Amino acid sequence: MSQEPKETSSPSAVTAAATPAIPTAPAPPPHALRSRIRALGPSLPRSVQAVADAVAADPATCARLTVSALAEHTGTSEATVVRTARLLGYPGYRDLRLALAALAAQQESGAAPAVTVDIAVDDPLADVVAKLAHEEAQTLTDTAAALDLTQLAAAVTALAAARRIDIYGVGASALVGQDLAQKLLRIGLLAHAHSDPHLAVTGAVQLRPGDVAVAITHSGTTGDVIEPLRVAFGRGATTVALTGRPNSPVTRHADLVLATSAARETQLRPAAMSSRTSQLLVVDCLFVGVAQQTYDTAAPALTASYEALAHRHRSSPSGT
């Protein structure tokens, strides 16, 4: 009976009902500007995306343009150009121009060209390794650049104090959920990872204020993950969405949103591969943050788990 008041009064619910908000973040250093644009890409309105794409594609040219000239160049308005600068973390267009000039200077200094990540069927295995390694590194950089540290800190605090933690994910995201659950269990927290949607909803009904529910879905549209999070939200639990789409349906039922890099899907590299990389980075950030806050209990719990499993890692007498 108490479900509706929370959904009505929740900041995330109000935001979803109105024009989707795009979180701002501290201004990125010049070398991370492109990463910020890639990470925020799915959240940007089309007109803002046009400006962002232009400055990422040709920072040297855009750095020389006035606000009105860039607006004309991108077929947008001066207000859109200024808004783009602010959404990328800069106080105004002048600050963005300075960052673009610095980025252009870095590029002209002879930095190695970026490795293409398009993998062809006939690529040599060495090229596949190089391309995947580059893409994985870029995914981690993009996720770190876009991660809202205020939201992350709030999620860490909620997890550290939680009576119970339920984690929802299906497919590749289920594997990430299991990783988070086992990490939290090893430092003494009560955490369950649910990949069965029926069990997830059944468990969500039992949650209450002080508990935490974490939904992991790269697309943000997975119904089997959204439904238990909605139920947990209505029961008063603190809800966290870990997603690559910060304005997707799952965030309507999330008190906290942790954005991951927007994976670029190709024929030989499904989005699930690179999205998992960014999700695991956020999971590790959550785990380390919680372990820091609960160190007095986490350290003995880790020691106990290592000791309990130590005999399973010793070689057998026969050497097999």
Side-chain angles (χ1 to χ4, degrees), residues 145-304:
L147 197 56
D148 187 323
L149 297 182
T150 300
Q151 298 272 301
L152 178 65
V156 165
T157 298
L159 289 169
R163 178 190 70 100
R164 167 177 162 176
I165 301 162
D166 276 15
I167 304 163
Y168 317 125
V170 297
S173 294
L175 302 177
V176 177
Q178 291 170 11
D179 184 65
L180 176 58
Q182 68 90 11
K183 279 181 165 67
L184 296 176
L185 282 170
R186 293 194 71 172
I187 57 174
L189 299 183
L190 184 61
H192 305 276
H194 298 283
S195 58
D196 183 299
H198 290 215
L199 291 177
V201 172
T202 301
V205 171
Q206 308 303 322
L207 299 179
R208 63 195 192 203
D211 296 334
V212 175
V214 180
I216 305 175
T217 164
H218 178 68
S219 69
T221 60
T222 307
D224 288 342
V225 173
I226 294 174
E227 179 62 13
L229 192 73
R230 183 191 66 79
V231 173
F233 184 77
R235 301 298 291 182
T238 298
T239 51
V240 181
L242 202 168
T243 179
R245 304 289 187 268
N247 293 313
S248 58
V250 72
T251 64
R252 297 172 189 167
H253 312 292
D255 296 304
L256 302 168
V257 177
L258 303 177
T260 58
S261 172
R264 190 169 71 88
E265 187 167 8
T266 64
Q267 185 178 13
L268 292 179
R269 182 175 171 77
M273 292 174 64
S274 49
S275 66
R276 186 182 65 239
T277 300
S278 55
Q279 290 169 349
L280 288 171
L281 171 62
V282 177
V283 161
D284 283 350
C285 291
L286 288 170
F287 168 70
V288 172
V290 172
Q292 287 176 320
Q293 285 199 16
T294 63
Y295 184 78
D296 288 345
T297 55
L302 273 175
T303 299

Side-chain angles (χ1 to χ4, degrees), residues 113-132:
V115 178
T116 176
V117 296
D118 293 321
I119 299 174
V121 174
D122 57 353
D123 270 351
L125 190 56
D127 289 354
V128 172
V129 172
K131 291 178 178 182
L132 288 178

Side-chain angles (χ1 to χ4, degrees), residues 130-147:
K131 291 178 178 182
L132 288 178
H134 174 80
E135 178 67 3
E136 297 283 351
Q138 190 63 62
T139 296
L140 294 175
T141 298
D142 290 352
T143 298
L147 197 56

